[in-house]
Amino acid sequence: MIKKAVLISLLLFSGWTFILLKKPQISVTQNVWQENVSLAEHYIYDVKDVPNVIVGSSLSARIIMDSLPEFYNLSLGGQCIYDGLEIVSNRNEVPKRVFIEINGLEKELDETFKGVISHPLMRRLKASVPTFRADKQPLAFIGNYAKYFIATAHEKFVPPPGEGANVTSHDAPKESVFDKILAMKIAGRSKALDQELIDDRIAQLGSYIAELEARGVEIIFFETPIHADLQQLAMTEQIRDAARNNFSLKKYTYIPLPANIEAYQTTDGTHMTADDAAMFSHFFKLQVAPYID
Amino acid sequence: MLFNSFTFVALVLVTLLLYYIPKFRSLQVQILIVASLTFYTWHNPYLLMLLLLSAGINILTSYKVVYGPPNRKKRNATLGVLANLFTLAFFKYSGLIALTFTENEAVGEFFLSIPLPIGISFFTFQGISLMVDVYKNSEKDRTDLVPKSLLKHAQRTLFFISFFPQLVAGPIVKAHDFLPQIKDKFLRDIDWQRCFRNIVLGYFLKMVIADNLKDYTFWISFPYFIDMDTITLLTVLFGYSIQIFADFAGYSLIAIGISRLFGYNLRDNFNFPYISKSFKEFWKRWHISLSSFLQEYLYYPLGGNRKGKYRTYINLMITMVLGGLWHGAAWSYAIWGAFHGVALAVERLITDAVKVRQIWILRFFKQIMVFSMVTFAWLLFKLPEFSHVIEYFKAMYTNASAYFNVDICTRVLIYTSPVILYHLIYTMRDTALWKRLHKFDFVLYGIMLFLIITNSGMPGEFIYFQF
């Protein structure tokens, strides 16, 4: 029984690997976390000669990359800059420039994610066998077909199978929900963080930056717009000041916030709406124009 | 050290290799003790002190119960039980008690800062089991459980308390079930097929089902669920019900399968709980080791159902509320326990008063009712703040719509369907059809093995680790 079960699994594995090798372009992710792993894997194993990398959180993940072909956006939803920096610094080939989002500087490296991405045995396997990659899971494809079938029957459009990743809403929620979420964020950001925590994060960031600079990488900082009521709160200012005090404006470039920042709308106080993400992307593109070779 | 890590697999393989070398047969218990302590302290070496302290207390007090002065037997047993309860209370409940009953926030904050050692709810209960078993058993049984040699007793007890497959999330093992199994083990006695089935099914439930579902049940978080439509809210809650089963049953199956590799039989911890037709049946099928422990060491000593109708209901409530609190230091767990206590009491009342013929439609209706109520109660686990539970119910009521989140709902249904199939297969086990299909079950295990390799979710901790 054991031998037969193992044989069946090997046959399925071989068949699925064969399909993936024949159709390398097919890719489906099921949720934010899988998207993050897939983004990281794509950067580690597939991407070559991209001079500019953005590291950040879900805030920067909303930057539209269509008109930034010389950029790779390694901003990870639900995660932070340290996860992105960990990926960049562990790759043999480093980019010319790394753009670091300072909004979520206080967050913590995700050790589980790091373990998934950087396990030595899995790295070797994923480099040569696509079956182990996050965007090649068989049930994800079945889920996509099922989703399309149900959505079509229910008259609600979703992208056809194999073409789209997870659908996330970039529209503003109901006012009552927005108000609740914004109030929570105002309460959360009104108090400065423990200075020891900030010092620890700055030290961590400093360590990544030192390593990348030693390998010839230029570091540029930027910030994404957030709701006006959150801009000048204690925690926001503490983070901004910590970055500027430790990574001086004299040595590092900081992309300024847009002049019309008050005009930016968010879905929850911190994440830009779809329209405003497009507006910010245009602004960002103008700001980084000197860095496009 | 997670069960689904390469480090753990390496630990099991190395331990197995050493364990069955004939030259080391007399050291089998010691090998497992070293492996168990390595497993427990892998990420936090300081935990070793707590585990050794707990084991030490249990070793000395149980030895005193059996071989100490007979007139001190009860005192020593009581001391042992209280020491275990104090350890549990100090590490787990002091924060809750301080915050609830003192006005001094600093005191509450101090107690909240005490870390919760992983597995404490499990190994302290096993210590209590040892105390009670040596106290109440006959003289012959007591001396069988506790050998005359203190060193031998210390080894056996440390092994019993720390045995790594069940150390951090059960099944809770009773002393009288485990200790008699301690003897030389041989490779030829391993039931490889049974171990394979347990381990593959366990890893499938944990890595493919639970670890994928958690990425959707994540949305049962305040305030993100507030504007979700009713169908999606119900679907993710259903998903959470399946996730918690898959996570815990998966872990238990892995623990049982690995224990069997070393020659130790642990009792099944889950027996298809979601087909239960009553809450009484549910608690005979869900977390069997806990419900059996509470029944034997709490419900029966309180009097069980032997002291009249009303005393039975009180005993049920006490047992279930304390059982709820065992899961976590928050009043929401006590409410969850109370809910199950009330359900059991009301069910008993109705069953005693009303006799109805059990036609199939009624049995099916009861299964749906029990499953639904159990599922709604799981919200208290997912949302420890009771006000958020109320908000969830409010959202379900107010957000009725023809539209739903196709993405979330489809994926939840895909990842819950194997568990539904698992329960369905169980209900068909006596049919001629299943007896014919059963010989092809290797196909199912092959598919599960394939999906473990290719379709695992992002690793998540076992939900019951937090208890």
Side-chain angles (χ1 to χ4, degrees), chain B residues 213-453:
Chain B
L213 279 174
K214 77 169 188 322
D215 294 333
Y216 301 102
T217 61
F218 164 83
W219 296 110
I220 307 178
S221 310
F222 185 82
Y224 300 106
F225 60 71
I226 286 181
D227 67 346
M228 280 174 118
D229 59 275
T230 305
I231 295 174
T232 307
L233 289 169
L234 284 168
T235 307
V236 289
L237 183 55
F238 171 72
Y240 185 68
S241 192
I242 300 299
Q243 178 197 335
I244 202 171
F245 166 75
D247 198 271
F248 199 11
Y251 182 98
S252 294
L253 282 166
I254 297 168
I256 290 166
I258 291 174
S259 299
R260 280 213 167 96
L261 287 175
F262 293 102
Y264 290 91
N265 291 322
L266 306 182
R267 281 208 228 168
D268 285 339
N269 212 14
F270 290 84
N271 186 18
F272 304 90
Y274 287 152
I275 61 161
S276 301
K277 294 179 287 299
S278 66
F279 279 88
K280 184 178 175 181
E281 187 183 353
F282 178 79
W283 282 103
K284 286 191 177 344
R285 292 176 175 275
W286 179 276
H287 201 174
I288 298 167
S289 65
L290 175 68
S291 51
S292 148
F293 181 97
L294 291 172
Q295 186 178 54
E296 187 171 338
Y297 298 111
L298 181 59
Y299 181 66
Y300 288 158
L302 284 172
N305 60 0
R306 289 173 285 118
K307 301 203 171 180
K309 206 163 47 170
Y310 297 109
R311 183 61 191 268
T312 303
Y313 299 147
I314 291 169
N315 293 341
L316 273 172
M317 284 303 296
I318 292 172
T319 306
M320 294 314 294
V321 169
L322 290 178
L325 267 176
W326 174 88
H327 285 81
W331 294 116
S332 58
Y333 296 110
I335 296 169
W336 175 81
F339 165 80
H340 277 272
V342 167
L344 283 165
V346 168
E347 186 178 88
R348 201 182 178 94
L349 189 72
I350 295 172
T351 316
D352 289 346
V354 179
K355 302 286 177 216
V356 179
R357 224 178 82 219
Q358 297 298 306
I359 51 175
W360 74 267
I361 189 88
L362 182 64
R363 281 200 302 269
F364 180 68
F365 174 73
K366 281 157 78 174
Q367 281 174 320
I368 300 294
M369 276 296 293
V370 171
F371 176 75
S372 303
M373 291 172 78
V374 164
T375 297
F376 281 119
W378 286 134
L379 264 179
L380 290 157
F381 268 48
K382 186 71 175 145
L383 299 167
E385 274 209 45
F386 195 64
S387 59
H388 296 169
V389 175
I390 303 295
E391 289 291 337
Y392 199 91
F393 280 113
K394 255 168 64 181
M396 276 200 284
Y397 180 72
T398 55
N399 297 353
S401 158
Y403 291 97
F404 55 91
N405 189 316
V406 179
D407 188 52
I408 292 177
C409 291
T410 314
R411 303 216 188 260
V412 167
L413 288 175
I414 295 223
Y415 285 107
T416 53
S417 51
V419 173
I420 297 168
L421 181 67
Y422 177 63
H423 281 75
L424 217 60
I425 289 173
Y426 176 75
T427 60
M428 288 168 52
R429 70 196 180 285
D430 293 328
T431 62
L433 176 65
W434 179 246
K435 287 185 170 120
R436 275 204 301 275
L437 290 176
H438 185 60
K439 54 183 185 246
F440 298 107
D441 72 347
F442 63 87
V443 174
L444 282 177
Y445 282 92
I447 292 171
M448 284 194 280
L449 208 47
F450 165 66
L451 290 174
I452 289 168
I453 296 166

